[in-house]
Amino acid sequence: MLNPSLFHRCAILLALLVTGMSAVADEFPPSITEALKRHGLSRQGLSVYVHVLGEREPRLAVAADVPRNPASVLKLVTTLAALEELGPAYQWKTELYGTAPVHDGRLDGDLYIKGYGDPYLVMEHFWRMLREARLAGLQTIAGDLVLDQSYFAEAEGEPGDFDGQATRPYNVLPRALLVNFQAVHFRLLPQSSQQLRVIADPPVPFENRIKLLAGPCGSNGRDWSIRQNDKSPTQLLLVGSYRADCGEDQLFRVLSEPGPYIYGLFQTLWREQGGQLLGKWREAPIPPQATLLQTFHSPTLAEVVRSINKYSNNVMARQLLLTLGAERYGAPATVDKGVQAVRDWLQQRGLVFPELILENGAGLSRAERISARSLGRLLQAAFDGPYMPEFVSALPVSAVDGTLAHRFNGPLAGRMHLKTGSLNDVRSVAGYVLDSAGRRVIVVILHNDRRAEGIAGLAVQQAVLEWVFGSTPLPETTTGQSVTNTKY
């Protein structure tokens, strides 16, 4: 005679098979519910997807199919598409052309710089490119410095369109030739309690009116800012107060258009290396008669993706999306070409995300949308893909580096590779957690709530990740049966 308890369990399994139900928890466990309640947050704006790698079904999927704004977590889509489409060894090039032969170190013509969208042409790389030109024998440029931006179509809109902060580096518009993110680095260096040294790199004209104060740093110790000088429009004013005990401080700001910025930086670095530029600057495509003098190559895509995801660099992500468009559909690159290139790749990988809305590929958008389940499937595809090591190693590590350098100390330290995202009313993370049982777990948290970006949103993320890490017993499904591990 069949054991009644065994018969009961068999009947439940048969019912699940007949009805097609999967053993997936669709209710938050008590610790997450308590975190929401404690911080006055509704569950309506929260989507969570948790899937142990190697298991057939997710462990937890709450509102997992609701399209949400992911903020910078959307960079996972752009960077994985780029790794698989272009390959981790892909490099951007920047070319130097001359309109006349170089004799005895002198170019009796114009020097053209043609950009191909290098997202990481920072000052040290730009310096090295010019250094290679000097070592090749070029010293004096009798003509103009001419910038060829034709590989990318001109970006639509203005830098301040997103949030009105036009001088913030994250709002810089993509360009085929983008140098040092177009930013000026201001450093405050207290020399003593009486003297404050200020450095601008690259150099720009400014007047320092910051009042140096004595006493402990405190919450208001770094009360300084940069603004235009009404009496001298070409000069900046540094105003406010600063306490010497605060030590060194820094600020990055975008203060000019791309052309003047590149020209000024070129002049500074070229003179430092003993070169001369006798002409001015302008923008124009390279003429047919120009001769290629030098080709400079960027770091590899694998290195660039690390910078994009570790530090959530919006400008680099937008450059990458345009590069995808140009490589697949030809120059000039446009956002539409880049978006279509990503959609084509998703289709080829069998990743159908009907809810996906892509605007710029960086997540710096109020329009972009994706669901937690789709991001979970993307992370599964990445882990099963050929460039899993490059992709995972590019994610911030809890309590170690990137945007997680100061988060999740304690038991969670070093056990999570997570991409973070934050906008007003948005807080998100997605990636991989090594739980206390040694299992690798995909976790996606998309939180859209008017208070999500503050401490409350962080507390909810902490509760979810602690639950995942601790292998807390799963809540009951709607059938009243506890979820068990379902292996392949």
Side-chain angles (χ1 to χ4, degrees), residues 186-188 196-200 204-211 223-229 235-241 251 255:
F186 289 89
R187 295 174 62 199
L188 269 60
L196 178 65
R197 184 184 179 200
V198 180
I199 301 172
V204 294
F206 68 89
E207 180 182 349
N208 178 22
R209 294 186 185 175
I210 298 173
K211 185 177 181 181
D223 187 19
W224 67 284
S225 61
I226 302 170
R227 60 180 175 86
Q228 293 291 333
N229 189 339
Q235 188 183 58
L236 300 168
L237 285 180
L238 276 62
V239 297
S241 62
L251 190 67
L255 303 168

Side-chain angles (χ1 to χ4, degrees), residues 94-98 111-114 129 133 291-295:
T94 302
E95 296 174 331
L96 301 185
Y97 287 82
L111 179 70
Y112 280 75
I113 306 181
K114 182 175 177 62
M129 181 179 76
T291 301
L292 179 64
L293 302 177
Q294 178 186 332
T295 300

Side-chain angles (χ1 to χ4, degrees), residues 292-348:
L292 179 64
L293 302 177
Q294 178 186 332
T295 300
F296 179 81
H297 290 94
S298 74
T300 65
L301 176 60
E303 296 171 84
V304 168
V305 166
R306 283 178 62 86
S307 293
I308 292 174
N309 284 338
K310 290 278 189 187
Y311 302 100
S312 206
N313 193 300
N314 295 298
V315 182
M316 294 175 72
R318 297 179 74 172
Q319 296 278 116
L320 184 56
L321 183 75
L322 288 166
T323 299
L324 279 167
E327 288 288 349
R328 181 175 277 265
Y329 298 110
T334 65
V335 172
D336 287 344
K337 289 179 182 178
V339 169
Q340 191 57 50
V342 172
R343 292 191 179 279
D344 290 345
W345 168 79
L346 286 169
Q347 185 175 17
Q348 291 168 5

Side-chain angles (χ1 to χ4, degrees), residues 32 70 188 204 364 395 403:
I32 300 173
L188 269 60
V204 294
L364 192 69
L395 300 178
T403 57

